[in-house]
Amino acid sequence: MTAEALRMSVRGPVLTQADPGYEEARKVWNGNIDRHPALIARCTGVADVINAVNFARDNNLVIALRGGAHNAAGHATCDGGIVLDLSGMKGIRVDPVARTAQAQPGLTWAEFDRETQAFGLATTGGTVSNTGIAGLTLGGGIGWLSGMHGLSCDNLLSADVVTADGRFLHASADENPDLFWALRGGGGNFGVVTSFEYRLHPVGPIVLGGLVLHPIDKARELLAFFREFSSELPDEAFSAFVMLSMPDGTPLAGYILCYSAALEEGERVFEKIRKFGSPVVDAVQPMPYEVRQGLIDDGVAPHGWQRYWKSGFANEPSDALLDRLAEAGKTRTSPMTALAIFPFHGAMIRVPSDATAFAIRRPGWDVNLISQWLDPAESEKHIAWTREMWQSIEPHTSGGAYINHIAADDKPEKVRASYGANYDRLAKIKAKYDPQNLFRLNANIRPAG
């Protein structure tokens, strides 16, 4: 195995530890991930992907797939293997008449939204706009339009895929339908997607959005109110509960509110939650769709922060869960640590659980404990607190999680629980398209057999 052999077969740059730019290229969104791949292949197109996959397989190299590099578990990089860096593949073509978009895997949602909003169109993207479209879609894709238009994967019409044996396949409802089913929520288990075709919807350009925040000592009663309020949301609305800090370190708790239809109706829907208690911040207002998509990018999601993340899905948020969550907000060891809850409702839960690989199609809460800090020397303290706090929270969840939020140290049983009855079918499809588990840096589904 030599880097030169790979360089001869791909058009994009191939970096080793000796090359300028390697140190920057190996970094991912989570600054706590410190890994050193042997090779970084910066793919420019499908041919590069095919040749890089063949090279990795033939040389028994573990593969990491990098799009937006946003996965908190650090799946976009590896030690000693090869990173297929797709971040330079940013082509997109919007068809405003058919309301579809063909998009390459290096795009972030901010870049995708910029193109689709030129025509007053959008599809469900992430809750922060610096997330890559590829990883988010393949893992399901929760976003501010989920109640109205379903998950990102529900809006996927087709995909082009390079499989573990180097084949280039088109996956849709009509071609390779088993692969298409698996891609919609099955993560990066089945190959390298080089193009996504999305269904688009009329959205914006002006939508309602913003934060309503209260002192952190009100967290418990805010959670109780949110449990009732979020269960009654219309499809056009999406709300998240958050605990975070202001730039000066002041801890706050409250809500992110989004409404994607008529502004006057959105004001009416959110009147009750905006008048609850005595908020110290009410920044809900009409804004451009693209602005709302990046509303919390700078406050909670910049590249490079140290992070350790735990997550689970709660079918029925209990009083005991609310107690634990309120405690977490008050005992955080870092002011940058956040807690985020995304309720499942509307279009995203009206899809049958076996219609796509994504199986969580029921009301409930996606609960996320997101420890964040800057100094790597503090990692042990913050990680220890997160694990201890999560031990008290996890018994009040279902045992599964939204796949994109599964941690690197979660047990395989959590992956199985997250897919539920869909897991065995996924394992059979994995055995068909990746029998040697070449694509295993993900929420891994082991091949059946």
Side-chain angles (χ1 to χ4, degrees):
M1 179 197 78
T2 66
E4 194 57 39
L6 182 58
R7 289 188 178 109
M8 291 176 64
S9 67
V10 301
R11 186 158 57 96
V14 175
L15 304 179
T16 70
Q17 295 189 35
D19 293 315
Y22 171 88
E23 278 300 311
E24 188 62 29
R26 75 179 183 88
K27 294 177 182 177
V28 293
W29 176 74
N30 183 354
N32 194 242
I33 306 298
D34 183 25
R35 296 176 189 153
H36 296 79
L39 300 169
I40 302 173
R42 294 194 140 166
C43 300
T44 60
V46 174
D48 282 0
V49 173
I50 291 172
N51 290 333
V53 167
N54 287 337
F55 180 87
R57 186 192 62 248
D58 294 345
N59 289 279
N60 198 29
L61 289 174
V62 65
I63 294 178
L65 303 178
R66 179 188 181 118
H70 204 280
N71 183 268
H75 293 320
T77 188
C78 58
D79 279 321
I82 181 171
V83 173
L84 271 61
D85 187 344
L86 313 176
S87 62
M89 296 174 61
K90 292 184 179 291
I92 179 171
R93 180 183 183 277
V94 178
D95 184 335
V97 176
R99 291 181 178 169
T100 61
Q102 291 277 355
Q104 289 186 309
L107 289 163
T108 65
W109 283 107
E111 294 164 337
F112 182 97
D113 291 338
R114 182 177 186 274
E115 298 299 320
T116 63
Q117 277 292 285
F119 306 98
L121 300 171
T123 200
T124 305
T127 54
V128 294
S129 69
N130 58 12
T131 309
I133 69 167
L136 188 95
T137 300
L138 293 173
I142 299 171
W144 304 127
L145 296 179
S146 293
M148 194 173 183
H149 296 305
L151 303 172
S152 301
C153 72
D154 297 331
N155 292 283
L156 187 65
L157 298 173
S158 69
D160 292 335
V161 189
V162 176
T163 55
D165 57 2
R167 287 182 297 160
F168 177 75
L169 301 178
H170 186 69
S172 69
D174 299 319
E175 296 180 63
N176 301 298
D178 59 342
L179 179 59
F180 183 57
W181 179 87
L183 291 173
R184 287 174 292 161
N189 274 283
F190 303 96
V192 186
V193 177
T194 59
S195 181
F196 297 82
E197 181 189 11
Y198 293 98
R199 179 187 300 110
L200 302 178
H201 311 273
V203 178
I206 302 299
V207 294
L208 193 64
L211 288 87
V212 176
L213 300 172
H214 301 248
I216 195 72
D217 61 5
K218 301 295 184 181
R220 180 60 175 79
E221 58 192 86
L222 294 168
L223 281 161
F225 179 83
F226 184 70
R227 178 171 56 187
E228 176 186 351
F229 179 81
S230 63
S231 69
E232 300 172 348
L233 284 176
D235 290 3
E236 296 82 3
F238 200 96
S239 177
F241 179 89
V242 291
M243 285 189 270
L244 41 72
S245 296
M246 296 292 283
D248 65 0
T250 302
L252 299 173
Y255 317 106
I256 304 172
L257 304 180
C258 302
Y259 195 86
S260 301
L263 297 178
E264 298 82 2
E265 181 62 15
E267 294 278 3
R268 187 197 66 77
V269 168
F270 290 144
E271 182 179 13
K272 182 179 179 181
I273 197 168
R274 294 173 73 182
K275 288 185 175 180
F276 179 77
S278 302
V280 295
V281 173
D282 184 346
V284 176
Q285 59 188 299
M287 61 183 65
Y289 176 79
E290 291 177 71
V291 171
R292 192 186 71 186
Q293 289 300 99
L295 196 63
I296 57 173
D297 286 11
D298 293 339
V300 299
H303 277 260
W305 285 8
Q306 303 280 312
R307 292 179 170 94
Y308 182 76
W309 195 320
K310 284 294 188 180
S311 178
F313 188 81
N315 295 323
E316 296 181 4
S318 64
D319 286 345
L321 174 62
L322 271 54
D323 292 342
R324 301 287 79 72
L325 296 176
E327 180 185 352
K330 295 175 182 178
T331 62
R332 296 175 302 165
T333 52
S334 167
M336 297 165 65
T337 290
L339 186 141
I341 296 169
F342 302 102
F344 278 31
H345 85 291
M348 66 192 294
I349 63 170
R350 288 198 291 271
V351 176
S353 61
D354 62 353
T356 66
F358 192 92
I360 303 175
R361 303 291 190 168
R362 57 189 183 272
W365 285 2
D366 168 39
V367 178
N368 301 278
L369 191 57
I370 309 167
S371 278
Q372 303 186 125
W373 62 99
L374 294 178
D375 185 355
E378 297 179 0
S379 295
E380 184 176 348
K381 174 179 69 174
H382 300 309
I383 291 172
W385 173 83
T386 312
R387 287 173 174 163
E388 181 179 354
M389 194 70 241
W390 189 251
Q391 283 182 350
S392 73
I393 294 172
E394 190 168 33
H396 307 289
T397 69
S398 67
Y402 169 40
I403 286 297
N404 283 338
H405 292 168
I406 283 183
D409 57 357
D410 281 335
K411 295 180 180 179
E413 290 79 8
K414 190 165 188 173
V415 176
R416 179 180 284 273
S418 302
Y419 286 115
N422 289 345
Y423 186 88
D424 289 342
R425 182 178 175 186
L426 283 163
K428 291 176 182 177
I429 298 172
K430 176 76 168 179
K432 177 179 176 180
Y433 291 99
D434 185 15
Q436 302 304 315
N437 205 10
L438 183 66
F439 301 112
R440 57 185 179 273
L441 292 185
N442 43 49
N444 195 235
I445 299 163
R446 297 191 62 81

